């Protein structure tokens, strides 16, 4: 029996090991999973390159041996290495699989092997794409002998030491529960409920697949409980990271802020445009101008390349940190004719200017060689739209008489003296 009850790692495990039928250590690890009420998908070799890894999309975690091949086809003894050429080929196959897997499922990968963990870590670090996964503990490497009969203790301790994994697994469980509640609830009302809302979207002449997705996300979120996770213990680690290398810490904060408010174009649907879309137009070899679409989303969903977008000028702000109000955490002196977006992309802050608007079709943007580079996300783009709407409806007020200006009164006192 395992010495811990699974909590964050309940469910299906994918176990890849060529010693499943013959090696005592991996047999005991598999028994640990069964004893805890889990289920293991047992694979004696890596899935072939043509295998669709989406089949593993609901796996809770992955266990993988590092030595998956040798002359006899069975597991290698502890400390034994394959011939150099075969070993290098096996490493390349392992790394290729881990890269493919990362595109389908962001679940922890545990490499439990008879080999020296340090040598495996070095082989993983040598690949530029997996280097960060190792540094940030998305891939954990341990000896099999250190895991046997305490599998879930190892896994739960690992999650409690990794805030990203802890948050992912807690949120995932919460999300799945809420999604199940939603579909049970609506199905009990009528099995045809998706068709009814689909028809409504179609009658409104907007792409129903887009609106259906937004509706489901909104309804699932409304049924989700508060995230039952405490990240306070990790604040000390963050402080140590900052003290060790403040420049690297600042860069990581900028990357997180960008991920919160800006989505790069390679993650956007090519034929779907929305408010917040940022277009870059090359003005010269050294200068690029940026424009943000603020047209209402329902309007953006209609039409093809002749459809018009409403574009506002977006300019970089270089002195932003001197203008931050420490008391409220906002940028001071924001004028009525602009909106600031702090750390929108590449660690740079931009201001959206309201005075000039360009109306251009997608065809015209293509002729100008303007390219969409990303999208500002809510609530940041919502604030831009709200402030722009207020700017468009602003009333004209008379100036306050100059005699009340501080500079004017100071000049008068100086003349009198």
């Amino acid at each position: 029996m395992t010495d811990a009850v699974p909590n964050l790692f309940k469910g299906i495990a994918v176990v890849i090991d060529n010693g499943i039928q013959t090696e005592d250590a991996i047999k005991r690890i598999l028994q640990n999973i069964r004893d805890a009420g889990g289920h293991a998908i047992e694979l004696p070799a890596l899935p072939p390159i043509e295998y669709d890894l989406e089949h593993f999309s609901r796996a809770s975690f992955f266990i993988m041996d590092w030595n998956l091949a040798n002359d006899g086809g069975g597991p290698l003894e502890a400390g034994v290495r394959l011939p150099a050429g075969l070993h290098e080929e096996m490493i390349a196959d392992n790394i290729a699989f881990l890269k493919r897997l990362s595109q389908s499922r962001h679940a922890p990968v545990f490499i439990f092997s008879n080999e020296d963990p340090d040598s495996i870590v070095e082989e993983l670090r040598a690949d530029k794409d997996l280097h960060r996964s190792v540094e940030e503990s998305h891939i954990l490497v341990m000896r099999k002998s250190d895991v046997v009969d305490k599998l879930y203790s190892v896994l739960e301790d690992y999650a409690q030491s990794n805030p990203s994994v802890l948050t992912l697994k807690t949120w995932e469980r919460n999300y799945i529960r809420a999604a199940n509640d939603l579909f049970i609830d609506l199905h009990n009302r009528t099995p045809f409920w998706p068709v009814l809302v689909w028809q409504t979207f179609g009658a409104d002449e907007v792409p129903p697949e887009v609106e259906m997705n937004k509706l489901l996300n909104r309804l699932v979120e409304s049924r989700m409980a508060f995230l039952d996770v405490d990240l306070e213990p990790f604040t000390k680690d963050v402080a140590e990271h900052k003290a060790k290398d403040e420049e690297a810490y600042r860069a990581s904060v900028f990357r997180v802020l960008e991920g919160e408010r800006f989505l790069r174009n390679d993650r956007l649907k090519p034929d779907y445009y929305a408010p917040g879309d940022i277009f870059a137009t090359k003005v010269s070899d050294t200068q690029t101008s940026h424009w943000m679409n603020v047209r209402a989303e329902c309007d953006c969903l209609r039409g093809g390349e002749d459809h018009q977008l409403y574009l506002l000028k977006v300019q970089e702000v270089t002195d932003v940190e001197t203008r931050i109000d420490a008391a409220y955490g906002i940028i001071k002196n924001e004028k009525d004719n602009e909106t600031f977006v702090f750390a929108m992309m590449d660690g740079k802050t931009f201001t959206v200017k309201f005075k000039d608007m360009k109306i251009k079709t997608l065809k015209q943007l293509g002729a100008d060689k303007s390219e969409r580079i990303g999208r500002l996300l809510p609530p940041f783009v919502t604030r831009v739209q709200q402030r722009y709407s207020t700017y468009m409806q602003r009333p004209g007020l008379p100036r306050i008489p100059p005699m009340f200006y501080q500079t004017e009164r100071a000049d008068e006192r100086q003349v009198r003296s």
Side-chain angles (χ1 to χ4, degrees):
M1 294 289 293
T2 59
D3 62 343
V5 176
N7 179 27
L8 296 173
F9 292 96
K10 290 180 180 178
I12 297 173
V14 176
V15 181
I16 307 172
D17 195 309
N18 65 339
I20 285 175
Q21 300 298 326
T22 57
E23 186 185 4
D24 181 63
I26 193 61
K27 285 183 177 180
R28 290 168 65 185
I29 290 174
L30 288 168
Q31 189 61 46
N32 294 162
I33 295 173
R34 289 190 287 268
D35 290 344
H39 177 74
I41 299 174
E42 302 175 14
L43 302 176
L46 292 174
I49 190 68
E50 65 274 9
Y51 184 78
D52 185 0
L53 296 182
E54 286 288 332
H55 290 298
F56 296 153
S57 61
R58 286 299 180 189
S60 181
F61 60 95
F62 295 79
I63 293 176
M64 175 179 170
D65 192 10
W66 197 242
N67 273 322
L68 292 170
N70 61 42
D71 292 337
L76 290 174
E77 296 295 330
V80 177
R81 281 255 173 167
L82 294 169
L86 184 57
H87 184 76
E88 291 175 2
E89 181 180 346
M90 183 190 67
I91 291 174
D93 290 342
N94 290 348
I95 288 176
F97 168 74
L98 290 172
K99 288 182 178 181
R100 287 181 59 220
L101 181 62
S102 68
Q103 302 302 313
S104 300
R105 180 70 172 116
H106 186 71
V109 177
F110 304 104
I111 297 177
F112 300 150
S113 178
N114 293 325
E115 280 205 55
D116 174 30
D118 290 339
S119 65
I120 298 175
V121 167
E122 288 306 311
E123 289 164 348
L124 291 166
R125 281 178 173 161
D127 185 271
K128 63 181 180 63
D129 295 322
L130 294 182
H131 183 86
R132 178 174 289 183
S133 294
V134 177
E135 293 295 318
E136 298 178 356
S137 300
H138 181 65
I139 299 175
L140 179 68
V141 183
M142 294 183 65
R143 289 187 183 276
K144 288 181 183 177
S145 57
D146 294 331
V147 180
V148 169
D149 295 334
K150 52 183 179 181
L151 172 66
Y152 285 102
S153 292
V154 170
L155 301 191
E156 296 294 334
D157 288 347
Y158 159 79
Q160 295 300 326
S161 66
N162 189 309
S164 180
V165 172
L166 178 61
T167 304
L168 168 67
K169 301 301 289 185
T170 306
W171 172 86
E172 195 171 59
R173 184 171 56 186
N174 194 0
Y175 182 89
I176 292 173
R177 184 184 298 118
N180 284 333
D181 288 345
L182 166 66
F183 277 85
I184 290 171
D185 181 17
L186 293 182
H187 178 85
N188 288 340
R189 297 166 190 254
T190 172
F192 297 101
W193 71 264
V195 183
L196 302 181
V197 294
W198 184 276
Q199 289 176 321
T200 302
F201 297 143
D204 202 27
E205 297 182 353
V206 294
E209 64 275 14
V210 174
E211 293 301 312
M212 177 68 84
N213 188 57
K214 291 181 351 188
L215 173 67
L216 291 175
N217 284 328
R218 186 170 69 250
L219 294 178
V220 169
E221 183 179 2
S222 70
R223 286 163 170 78
M224 289 181 70
F226 291 122
L227 198 63
D228 185 19
V229 62
D230 180 15
L231 301 179
E232 186 63 29
F234 296 102
T235 55
K236 181 180 178 181
D237 298 330
V238 172
E240 292 175 353
H241 174 49
K242 179 181 178 181
K244 182 179 179 181
D245 190 340
E246 186 162 353
E247 184 177 349
Y249 171 76
R250 283 172 57 86
S252 66
V253 173
F254 279 134
R255 289 195 297 270
V256 171
L257 291 177
E258 177 180 321
E260 174 199 17
R261 60 202 63 193
F262 189 75
L263 200 59
R264 296 280 178 169
N265 192 58
D266 58 359
R267 297 189 177 275
L268 297 175
K269 187 177 178 182
D271 55 349
Y272 168 49
Y273 294 88
D277 283 346
I278 304 291
F279 293 85
T281 304
K282 194 169 184 179
V283 179
S284 66
D285 291 339
T286 59
Q287 186 178 4
T288 301
S289 64
H290 296 90
W291 299 83
M292 178 186 293
N293 174 45
V294 291
R295 190 166 187 183
E297 184 171 21
C298 56
D299 291 334
C300 293
L301 293 175
R302 299 184 177 95
E305 61 178 7
D306 292 323
H307 194 63
Q308 293 178 329
L309 300 182
Y310 302 159
L311 306 171
L312 296 177
K313 181 75 172 177
V314 181
Q315 294 180 339
E316 182 182 349
V317 181
T318 56
D319 61 341
V320 64
E321 293 192 24
T322 64
R323 304 172 64 176
I324 296 177
D325 186 332
Y328 298 100
I330 60 175
I331 299 175
K332 297 181 291 187
N333 303 324
E334 188 177 51
K335 298 177 181 178
D336 290 340
N337 64 357
E338 65 180 347
T339 296
F340 286 100
V341 183
F342 182 77
M344 185 173 78
M345 58 180 177
D346 298 325
K348 299 175 182 178
T349 296
F350 292 81
T351 177
V352 185
K353 296 292 188 179
F354 297 158
K355 283 189 175 181
D356 298 312
M357 172 187 279
K358 287 185 177 181
I359 300 178
K360 287 195 172 185
T361 65
L362 295 173
K363 183 188 296 185
Q364 289 171 327
L365 287 169
D368 293 342
K369 296 185 178 179
S370 298
E371 295 182 351
R372 184 175 65 177
I373 59 174
R375 178 180 298 155
L376 183 67
L377 303 174
F380 302 95
V381 67
T382 307
R383 184 170 185 269
V384 172
Q385 289 177 298
Q386 289 175 342
R387 283 177 58 82
Y388 180 66
S389 177
T390 302
Y391 172 79
M392 291 293 292
Q393 301 297 324
R394 70 193 185 282
L397 297 177
R399 277 177 172 267
I400 297 173
M403 64 175 291
F404 295 106
Y405 300 175
Q406 290 291 326
T407 54
E408 292 284 343
R409 297 171 67 183
D411 290 343
E412 290 175 6
R413 287 195 296 268
Q414 187 174 8
V415 170
R416 287 197 299 268
S417 64

